[in-house]
Amino acid sequence: AGVLRRTGEVVSVENLRKRYIPREGDFVVGVVTQRSSEVYKVDIRAPSAAYLPTMAFNAATRKNRPALEVGSLVYARVQSAHPDLDTELSCIDPETKKAWTTGEVLLGELRGGLSFEVPLSAAQRLLDAECFVLDRLGQDFAYELCVGGNGRIWLLAPGARETVLLLQVIKRSFGMTDAQIEVMIQKMVEIFT
């Protein structure tokens, strides 16, 4: 089951499956469900929980490592995924030498904001570099967004009103054309200002 898409002569069906199957290299937004001295158990909307070692952060040491609480959101990369074993996550960003304590590293704890879930096909569209709705929203609003390949999204905007507006636009945009999205955003900008 899915949504039928037509692009020129190409016809495809977008899968609307709800369960995420982890793949090595995917970026995911997870929720810490359990903590111990060496590892965090993280819900990534997969058949089984993933684990995130406490040392799997940039420049983490035994004395200087993050202390995530149950319920904390993390943006992480799938380090290893095997159907018969638990998925391993990592918040080590090989692109930077900065430590996790600076708050300038892409991967790690997501503070503030709110999280919500969308179908996996919708998350894939948001991850596209040419995503019209995110580009268009960026013209009128300042916001931060982390989209996980697992369908969980984290959104941070300056105020509650903007956060709700952005959330509604993102959720309603699935299945709309670019022209329809443009009209919807223009109407919401008029209401907001």
Side-chain angles (χ1 to χ4, degrees):
V3 176
L4 185 66
R5 298 270 179 218
R6 290 189 183 135
T7 310
E9 294 181 15
V10 178
V11 177
S12 63
V13 176
E14 264 185 35
N15 187 357
L16 295 178
R17 71 173 196 251
K18 294 186 182 197
R19 185 61 95 181
Y20 168 68
I21 306 300
R23 289 177 300 187
E24 194 171 311
D26 282 357
F27 290 94
V28 295
V29 175
V31 179
V32 175
T33 57
Q34 191 177 14
R35 61 180 278 193
S36 69
S37 61
E38 297 295 319
V39 71
Y40 298 106
K41 199 170 224 178
V42 181
D43 170 33
I44 58 169
R45 297 181 72 198
S48 64
Y51 69 93
L52 173 64
T54 57
M55 300 291 285
F57 292 82
N58 281 31
T61 64
R62 288 224 174 264
K63 291 183 180 183
N64 183 20
R65 57 186 175 185
L68 303 175
E69 297 296 325
V70 172
S72 296
L73 289 172
V74 291
Y75 191 54
R77 181 175 40 82
V78 175
Q79 183 73 25
S80 66
H82 190 278
D84 299 327
L85 302 172
D86 285 340
T87 301
E88 181 180 355
L89 302 177
S90 174
C91 287
I92 295 175
D93 186 358
E95 302 291 319
T96 183
K97 298 283 184 199
K98 296 184 180 191
W100 68 271
T101 54
T102 64
E104 298 175 13
V105 182
L106 175 68
L107 303 173
E109 184 178 11
L110 299 170
R111 294 189 177 104
L114 67 92
S115 71
F116 60 98
E117 295 178 358
V118 297
L120 298 180
S121 58
Q124 292 305 315
R125 273 187 268 147
L126 290 172
L127 286 169
D128 185 17
E130 301 295 320
C131 179
F132 179 79
V133 69
L134 297 181
D135 290 342
R136 180 60 183 85
L137 286 171
Q139 294 173 11
D140 291 309
F141 300 98
Y143 66 94
E144 290 183 50
L145 188 82
C146 282
V147 179
N150 60 341
R152 188 172 282 140
I153 298 172
W154 172 80
L155 172 66
L156 177 66
R161 190 171 177 201
E162 290 162 313
T163 302
V164 171
L165 177 94
L166 293 167
L167 169 73
Q168 291 302 317
V169 169
I170 291 168
K171 280 191 159 188
R172 291 178 183 178
S173 69
F174 305 123
M176 290 183 157
T177 65
D178 290 353
Q180 292 170 323
I181 292 170
E182 177 66 33
V183 169
M184 177 179 63
I185 292 174
Q186 285 177 352
K187 286 181 181 178
M188 290 191 155
V189 168
E190 288 172 14
I191 292 169
F192 187 74
T193 52

